[in-house]
Amino acid sequence: MRDAEGKRRQLLEAGLVEFAAHGIAGARVDRIAKRAGCSAGLVYTYFTSKDELFEAVFDATIEQTREDAPITVHDLPEYAGRLFDARRLNPEAARLLDWYALERPGTTRPAALISAQAKVEAIRTAQRNGKVTTRFTAEQILHLITQLATRGAEDPHNPLDPASHREMIVEAIRLLTTPT
Amino acid sequence: MRDAEGKRRQLLEAGLVEFAAHGIAGARVDRIAKRAGCSAGLVYTYFTSKDELFEAVFDATIEQTREDAPITVHDLPEYAGRLFDARRLNPEAARLLDWYALERPGTTRPAALISAQAKVEAIRTAQRNGKVTTRFTAEQILHLITQLATRGAEDPHNPLDPASHREMIVEAIRLLTTPT
């Protein structure tokens, strides 16, 4: 039982590397199996298809991000900073979400929707309590944070060192979310 | 001569559709040829390889965006709004740039660098004249505008209609760039 759990986790980790590098269409199950130290046949005893493996990797990534950077509505600028840190320490996660957006446009995973909805609710409560600006809706605030903190960290036109990049994000979210 | 120019333009347009849908690795020259109404062989008399065709499409897209939304440093919020309009009217362009970032990480085209550098210079001059905040560097301001105005327009967690989305971007860039 423990071995099965361990192998499943190894497959998710190997899958993250492969999908981040090649996307869904470009990923190869035999390379994932090799990296996890098993046969391609064994992969299919855990996941019925490459798509199902991708979805499991995607959901695990969402969960990992939520653990690494839980939302703190009393300090949204610092939340944005921690989101940036999490993405920087796990660049594969950012690439995985970007591939998903390109290869499955207009769709999303239930895990991602549920995670986003919980954050929107928390921001909305903070707005009611006067802790966060009402200049933007709660959905807009989450969108602004996500756009600035989790995308474009490797923008080749943006010659920022990571510390300056983080400072910029924290300052921008402070300007955008402080109550007036 | 005019026919050659016309066919080249048709190939660039067909290439944009194909690359936006499938990325660089997934694109097929025979589909591009078919869409442009010519043989795959003819494509190679204009472009020596699929990569060269992609690069020509990429450069044409950068040029088109510069024409559709020239930078206006005296009104950066409205510039961001027009960038958003341009991307919305040409969603293929946004997807093309996203594929490029994923499939050629850490690199960029000279045309994109030159275009970005000119914008940074213009913002820097406006900063010197006190028209734009110096809270952020000129590079950071361009990055903030690009992140908010050209990415995530189809974020499935962001249930905004286009008019509200545009208003949010203009207001955010106003808050971020107005001199203090």
Side-chain angles (χ1 to χ4, degrees), chain A residues 114-130:
Chain A
I114 290 165
S115 168
Q117 197 51 44
K119 289 173 190 169
V120 165
E121 293 296 341
I123 295 170
R124 198 171 284 139
T125 302
Q127 286 178 310
R128 274 199 217 100
N129 297 335

Side-chain angles (χ1 to χ4, degrees), chain B residues 11-66:
Chain B
L11 285 170
L12 291 177
E13 286 167 8
L16 177 58
V17 174
E18 177 73 8
F19 288 118
H22 302 287
I24 308 173
R28 282 174 47 188
V29 171
D30 60 332
R31 280 196 298 241
I32 295 172
K34 194 175 175 194
R35 192 171 283 116
C38 68
S39 69
L42 189 69
V43 177
Y44 291 106
T45 65
Y46 287 87
F47 305 97
T48 59
S49 64
K50 184 168 78 168
D51 267 14
E52 193 181 300
L53 173 53
F54 176 82
E55 290 170 359
V57 170
F58 185 97
D59 291 355
T61 299
I62 296 288
E63 180 57 30
Q64 187 65 49
T65 303
R66 197 166 52 175

Side-chain angles (χ1 to χ4, degrees), chain B residues 137-179:
Chain B
T137 67
E139 285 89 351
Q140 288 177 329
I141 290 171
L142 182 60
H143 176 82
L144 292 166
I145 293 171
T146 306
Q147 282 302 110
L148 294 182
T150 71
R151 312 287 299 267
E154 308 211 356
D155 178 356
H157 306 135
N158 177 18
L160 292 174
D161 63 283
S164 310
H165 196 143
R166 188 188 202 279
E167 266 176 47
M168 175 194 74
I169 289 167
V170 171
E171 172 69 355
I173 298 301
R174 193 185 65 71
L175 287 166
L176 293 171
T177 64
T178 303

Side-chain angles (χ1 to χ4, degrees), chain A residues 35-105:
Chain A
R35 190 170 285 118
C38 70
S39 68
L42 190 69
V43 177
Y44 291 107
T45 66
Y46 288 85
F47 305 97
T48 59
S49 64
K50 184 167 77 168
D51 267 13
E52 193 180 301
L53 174 53
F54 177 83
E55 288 169 1
V57 170
F58 185 96
D59 291 356
T61 299
I62 296 288
E63 181 57 30
Q64 187 63 51
T65 302
R66 197 166 52 174
E67 280 176 26
D68 292 345
I71 190 163
T72 50
V73 286
H74 60 281
D75 191 351
L76 289 175
E78 184 53 26
Y79 167 58
R82 279 199 313 274
L83 259 186
F84 174 75
D85 297 337
R87 279 286 179 274
R88 212 167 70 77
L89 293 174
N90 188 359
E92 283 92 357
R95 288 175 56 84
L96 191 84
L97 304 189
D98 286 347
W99 282 113
Y100 183 80
L102 279 172
E103 296 192 283
R104 301 283 186 271

